[in-house]
Amino acid sequence: MMKAIVVGAVLALGTGSPVAGKAATSTADQRFVTNTARDGMAEVELSKIAAEKAMSAEGKNFGQRMADDHSKAGDELKTLAQNKGITVPTEMDANHKALRDRLLKMSGESFDHAYIAAMVNGHRAAVNAFRVESRTGKDADVKAWAAKTLSTVSDHLKVAQSLNKAVGTSGKK
């Protein structure tokens, strides 16, 4: 009997079941929060680089706006994740680190092209992820945050696409 109780407790902890008064958050919602936090953290770091290195004033302003907006959204998401018992990454993943390292070696037009193309591609994926979460998320708080933040992410995509046309890239890898 004791063995069954211990096994049940371990399974409950390992599956995100309600523990210590916190409601379970679905695996899909947890993945959205984790991926969004990771991508947002990278966005802040890459955009701070753009605010310094971009050739045009528009590129520098866009980089600063991205850093500011994603810092604010990241802080909100960290609080939400903490309230839900979701652990978010504390450093960028290998792909974002590689992009950062590549951007740091660039300057001038090549930097602007690479940064803006990355922003278009990243924001296309983000808009899709936010749309899906805002429509199909199971956790009401995560779903509401995604819905609230979607308009900002969509606006970022529009601005990035506009800048993309100005610097003459396709926004595709």
Side-chain angles (χ1 to χ4, degrees), residues 11-130:
L11 288 174
L13 288 172
T15 60
S17 295
V19 177
K22 291 191 179 184
T25 303
S26 78
T27 302
D29 291 336
Q30 289 179 26
R31 191 176 314 115
F32 170 79
V33 169
T34 302
N35 290 344
T36 300
R38 180 201 61 226
D39 293 348
M41 179 183 3
E43 190 85 26
V44 170
E45 188 163 338
L46 297 174
S47 295
K48 284 180 179 178
I49 294 168
E52 294 293 319
K53 291 187 74 163
M55 199 168 81
S56 70
E58 293 87 358
K60 287 179 185 290
N61 291 338
F62 180 68
Q64 188 60 57
R65 177 179 174 198
M66 294 299 96
D68 293 345
D69 288 356
H70 284 275
S71 290
K72 179 182 178 225
D75 290 343
E76 291 173 0
L77 187 58
K78 284 178 198 168
T79 299
L80 177 61
Q82 186 176 26
N83 291 340
K84 299 293 177 180
I86 301 170
T87 303
V88 295
T90 56
E91 63 179 50
M92 290 191 301
D93 64 2
N95 289 336
H96 286 114
K97 286 179 183 178
L99 176 58
R100 177 201 57 205
D101 294 346
R102 190 167 57 94
L103 288 173
L104 284 170
K105 294 174 185 172
M106 297 176 153
S107 61
E109 285 184 23
S110 63
F111 173 86
D112 287 3
H113 286 256
Y115 172 71
I116 295 300
M119 293 301 99
V120 169
N121 290 331
H123 282 86
R124 279 183 185 144
V127 165
N128 185 51
F130 276 74

Side-chain angles (χ1 to χ4, degrees), residues 126-173:
V127 165
N128 185 51
F130 276 74
R131 250 190 215 128
V132 168
E133 182 64 27
S134 68
R135 291 179 183 160
T136 65
K138 303 295 183 233
D139 183 289
D141 296 328
V142 175
K143 185 176 181 176
W145 183 84
K148 175 187 83 150
T149 310
L150 176 58
S151 63
T152 301
V153 176
S154 295
D155 188 53
H156 290 172
L157 175 59
K158 288 176 190 165
V159 174
Q161 288 172 324
S162 174
L163 288 171
N164 195 40
K165 288 177 185 166
V167 297
T169 66
S170 68
K172 297 181 181 169
K173 294 181 180 181

